[in-house]
Amino acid sequence: MILIGNGVSPGIAVGKIHIHGKFHIEPEKGFCAGGEERSQILHYETVKQLAIDELEKIRLNIEKLDSEKAGIFKAHQDIADDIVINEEIHNKILKEHWNAEWAVYKVYDTFLQMVRNAPDPLIAQRASDFEDVCNRILRIMLGIKDDMLSKINEPVIIAACDLLPSDTASMDKVKILAILTETGGATSHSAIIAKSYGIPAVLGINGLMETVKQGQLVTVNAIDGTVNTEPDNTYIKEHILKRDTFLSSKELTEAFRNREGRTKDNVKIDIDINITSAAKQELDAEKYVDSVGLFRTEFLYMGRDTLPSEKEQLNHYKKVLECFKNRPVVLRTVDIGGDKVLSSLDLPKEENPFMGNRAIRFCFNYPDIFKTQIRAALRASVYGNLWLMLPMISSLEDIRKAKDFINSVREELKNEGKPFGEIKTGIIIEIPSIALIVNQAVKEVDFASIGTNDLCQYLCAADRMNSAVETYYQSYHPAMFTVINNVIKTFNKAGKPISVCGEMASDPLVTPVLIGFGIRKLSMGAAAVPVIKRALSDFTVKQAEQIAKKVLKFSTASEVEKYLTRQIAPALI
């Protein structure tokens, strides 16, 4: 029987199923006797701190390997110490005389349901965070032994309804051949951790737990998202061969990480890194990339109760700039809104947040927050080569208003006698309106980067977080290539830097198309760096131009994908 899901972390595996039951604690409804309320609150506070300390140990261990995964457990600490949740638990104990276990369970369950029912799928997926924190506190309260996946002692394929963040973080990646779940998507914690560990993963498999049995031999193809639960010997041998071929190819690809990005005819292509912080692991990528093509500064604002101060931001930016010395660091001004919310600011709910008060619009509406960031960025610019990039620009008025704002902050710093350096100012081209007047926009800025994720979302009128319309979100849509080609040609003609920083930059099938259009600068996540460097080495600029010219003639996304798969994919195996 073939099961189908979403392949979120590529790879192939053959092995036995290990069914991982969902760890869930539901205490009996209980009350405390009169006069015991304070002792119950003290009991809760003591256990809560033990949970926070436990999370800190996990976070510090993971920080050494992956700052993104470590950030998950920092978020868990924030949930455990959330003011509103804590006040509600105290109230339930004091006013309704619930005991600590029942108060924790019921209050967390209320918040969990609120998050799970959120209209934004990305927010709804955070329900697992609340469940994980609740289970941790209750487990410590009730003295239940922590039975984690770290105790698996032989190579297995994990099958679960869902995996909590603490499950995946504790896994020994050597023992986990693959991960299969009934729920979860490309942005879930299971997907994030599977990718970072290089574990093949297929998520969102309907009927998985009803079909597989403990110890059952299965084959997993996380490239096409399939699981064969009844493979015969011939099928198993074929998959073992495919697995070995995939692993050999992966090893060959990794060898490209420390090389320069160059085409087959030795044309240099800048390979830049996307970062979210000044964490050591992110800055370690400095050794094998040309510069920072996208510093997503909004992550300095998220998962905390207060806004980052000017000094705090200055220190973060300074650290990155000093690391990259004279190489450009493209700092994107805070892109709050859409799928990114602040716990430190009570923003009104929007029906369509992706097209609402986000990014540069948020900055214009909250000028004090914007000013603090610009002051920090300008002051940090003396330590390196800082480029300031403005997101969600839809008009020339947006560009001019932002530039005027930056100039006013520059004058303010000058009057205060605070040093600042010269910076380049650019925009992300992600809204069709600015892409269509790119011949005018290019005159207003020093550089630009094409944000293909949102450009596709707005061009195709398909919310990229809404699975109901995922077939309409077509990154290979001919309109995408037409718009991208025009933007690149316009900036190249003006002699101004142009790059791509969205998902397309990390798609090896699209690499020759972008080079053929004239791109010489790509920015991506660390995992994609060796993949794209290897892809570049397989074609000349002339071949890329021929491929790009051909792509512009197709009329559907499926035609483009079939052509690129046939033309490019064999070289990547």
Side-chain angles (χ1 to χ4, degrees):
M1 182 176 181
I2 303 294
L3 300 177
I4 299 174
N6 300 313
V8 299
S9 179
I12 294 171
V14 178
K16 293 182 180 180
I17 289 287
H18 174 88
I19 294 176
H20 180 67
K22 195 166 185 178
F23 183 68
H24 179 72
I25 303 173
E26 184 174 347
E28 293 182 6
K29 186 174 183 179
F31 297 88
C32 55
E36 291 184 359
E37 291 87 357
R38 292 293 174 187
S39 65
Q40 286 292 305
I41 287 176
L42 179 61
H43 177 46
Y44 162 66
E45 288 293 337
T46 301
V47 170
K48 182 191 77 175
Q49 190 56 50
L50 289 172
I52 291 173
D53 293 343
E54 197 174 84
L55 287 164
E56 181 65 6
K57 288 180 183 177
I58 297 172
R59 189 190 70 77
L60 289 173
N61 285 332
I62 294 176
E63 180 73 48
K64 301 170 187 175
L65 303 172
D66 193 317
S67 60
E68 188 171 9
K69 292 199 298 293
I72 292 170
F73 293 93
K74 175 62 173 70
H76 283 202
Q77 289 175 306
D78 292 339
I79 291 171
D81 212 20
D82 184 85
I83 294 173
V84 177
I85 291 176
N86 278 283
E87 284 183 353
E88 190 64 17
I89 289 172
H90 283 206
N91 286 337
K92 293 299 182 184
I93 295 172
L94 286 172
K95 297 179 181 178
E96 300 189 34
H97 312 291
W98 291 359
N99 65 20
E101 292 90 345
W102 185 243
V104 168
Y105 175 75
K106 291 300 290 181
V107 170
Y108 267 91
D109 187 59
T110 299
F111 278 85
L112 190 152
Q113 297 305 328
M114 287 169 55
V115 175
R116 183 172 286 157
N117 294 326
D120 186 336
L122 195 64
I123 295 175
Q125 286 186 358
R126 288 208 65 199
S128 64
D129 292 303
F130 286 82
E131 185 176 10
D132 208 338
V133 174
C134 180
N135 283 342
R136 185 176 299 278
I137 292 172
L138 288 174
R139 175 179 56 75
I140 296 171
M141 269 186 177
L142 300 171
I144 298 173
K145 194 175 179 182
D146 191 3
D147 184 21
M148 297 193 296
L149 290 173
S150 59
K151 299 183 179 176
I152 290 174
N153 54 21
E154 62 178 345
V156 293
I157 293 171
I158 299 295
C161 179
D162 189 16
L163 291 176
L164 294 173
S166 57
D167 293 326
T168 46
S170 67
M171 293 187 309
D172 179 353
K173 65 179 181 179
V174 176
K175 301 285 174 50
I176 309 302
L177 301 174
I179 295 172
L180 310 175
T181 68
E182 281 196 351
T183 62
T187 59
S188 67
H189 292 314
S190 298
I192 292 170
I193 292 179
K195 285 178 188 174
S196 63
Y197 279 162
I199 299 173
V202 182
L203 310 186
I205 306 171
N206 289 329
L208 171 69
M209 302 306 284
E210 298 173 3
T211 306
V212 297
K213 297 180 178 63
Q214 189 80 357
Q216 181 179 2
L217 184 67
V218 303
T219 63
V220 176
N221 187 329
I223 300 170
D224 62 17
T226 59
V227 179
N228 190 334
T229 61
E230 299 172 346
D232 57 26
N233 287 335
T234 302
Y235 196 88
I236 290 171
K237 288 178 182 177
E238 288 175 355
H239 262 63
I240 289 174
L241 182 60
K242 285 182 180 179
R243 179 198 63 193
D244 293 344
T245 302
F246 176 84
L247 291 175
S248 296
S249 178
K250 188 176 179 181
E251 186 177 344
L252 176 62
T253 298
E254 186 57 33
F256 279 82
R257 186 177 294 276
N258 292 316
R259 301 185 190 180
E260 279 194 326
R262 289 188 178 274
T263 60
K264 196 172 184 178
D265 52 341
N266 209 32
V267 174
K268 176 74 168 68
I269 308 297
D270 281 355
I271 301 297
D272 299 344
I273 193 83
N274 297 339
I275 65 171
T276 61
S277 73
K280 180 182 181 299
Q281 197 216 352
E282 296 209 62
L283 296 186
D284 280 347
E286 173 270 334
K287 298 187 292 288
Y288 52 80
V289 296
D290 294 290
S291 61
V292 174
L294 176 63
F295 186 171
R296 296 185 175 102
T297 60
E298 57 274 7
F299 287 90
L300 300 177
Y301 294 72
M302 297 169 67
R304 52 187 293 166
D305 295 326
T306 59
L307 292 166
S309 67
E310 180 180 328
K311 183 178 180 181
E312 182 182 352
Q313 291 185 64
L314 170 61
N315 289 335
H316 275 281
Y317 306 155
K318 175 185 174 183
K319 188 175 181 181
V320 177
L321 286 161
E322 288 182 331
C323 178
F324 280 82
K325 299 182 175 66
N326 65 328
R327 289 173 287 168
V329 171
V330 180
L331 185 152
R332 181 176 70 185
T333 57
V334 60
D335 187 6
I336 292 298
D339 57 338
K340 307 180 191 82
V341 296
L342 294 183
S343 55
S344 59
L345 199 63
D346 187 17
L347 297 172
K349 184 180 178 181
E350 297 181 273
E351 289 298 321
N352 192 344
F354 278 102
M355 291 190 180
N357 181 29
R358 59 172 292 207
I360 197 65
R361 300 170 182 179
F362 169 88
C363 290
F364 289 155
N365 287 325
Y366 293 88
D368 289 343
I369 294 175
F370 194 28
K371 180 193 281 190
T372 300
Q373 178 171 45
I374 299 302
R375 283 177 61 92
L378 287 172
R379 291 177 63 193
S381 65
V382 299
Y383 299 100
N385 186 4
L386 187 140
W387 296 17
L388 202 62
M389 187 159 65
L390 309 166
M392 204 171 179
I393 296 295
S394 61
S395 65
L396 298 185
E397 287 89 347
D398 281 345
I399 299 174
R400 291 166 183 168
K401 187 175 180 180
K403 285 166 64 177
D404 287 343
F405 192 95
I406 294 166
N407 286 333
S408 70
V409 175
R410 187 182 281 112
E411 284 300 311
E412 187 177 273
L413 289 173
K414 185 177 179 180
N415 292 334
E416 293 174 9
K418 289 189 168 75
F420 58 89
E422 290 299 317
I423 64 168
K424 291 183 183 294
T425 304
I427 60 172
I428 300 185
I429 295 179
E430 54 193 342
I431 295 180
S433 60
I434 203 69
L436 291 173
I437 58 168
V438 67
N439 60 321
Q440 298 175 58
V442 71
K443 300 172 186 176
E444 301 280 340
V445 298
D446 299 316
F447 71 97
S449 189
I450 303 171
T452 56
N453 300 358
D454 274 339
L455 178 61
C456 183
Q457 172 173 245
Y458 297 133
L459 202 58
C460 296
D463 184 344
R464 60 190 173 96
M465 303 306 300
N466 186 346
S467 59
V469 294
E470 63 184 354
T471 56
Y472 293 95
Y473 181 87
Q474 299 176 353
S475 56
Y476 291 174
H477 195 295
M480 280 286 289
F481 290 107
T482 300
V483 169
I484 290 170
N485 180 48
N486 186 48
V487 170
I488 294 169
K489 294 272 189 291
T490 302
F491 269 80
N492 282 343
K493 185 178 179 181
K496 294 184 177 182
I498 179 71
S499 67
V500 175
C501 64
E503 284 299 312
M504 270 194 177
S506 59
D507 183 350
L509 291 185
V510 183
T511 302
V513 182
L514 297 176
I515 302 307
F517 286 162
I519 276 289
R520 296 295 181 266
K521 192 176 184 67
L522 297 165
S523 190
M524 63 205 69
V529 169
V531 176
I532 299 305
K533 286 183 177 179
R534 181 184 174 188
L536 285 168
S537 71
D538 284 324
F539 57 83
T540 65
V541 170
K542 187 175 180 180
Q543 289 172 327
E545 288 171 348
Q546 291 170 344
I547 291 169
K549 189 176 180 180
K550 181 76 172 175
V551 163
L552 290 174
K553 293 180 179 179
F554 291 114
S555 54
T556 68
S558 60
E559 289 173 353
V560 172
E561 186 170 9
K562 285 177 184 176
Y563 169 71
L564 292 178
T565 301
R566 186 174 65 251
Q567 193 77 14
I568 312 301
L572 302 176
I573 297 174

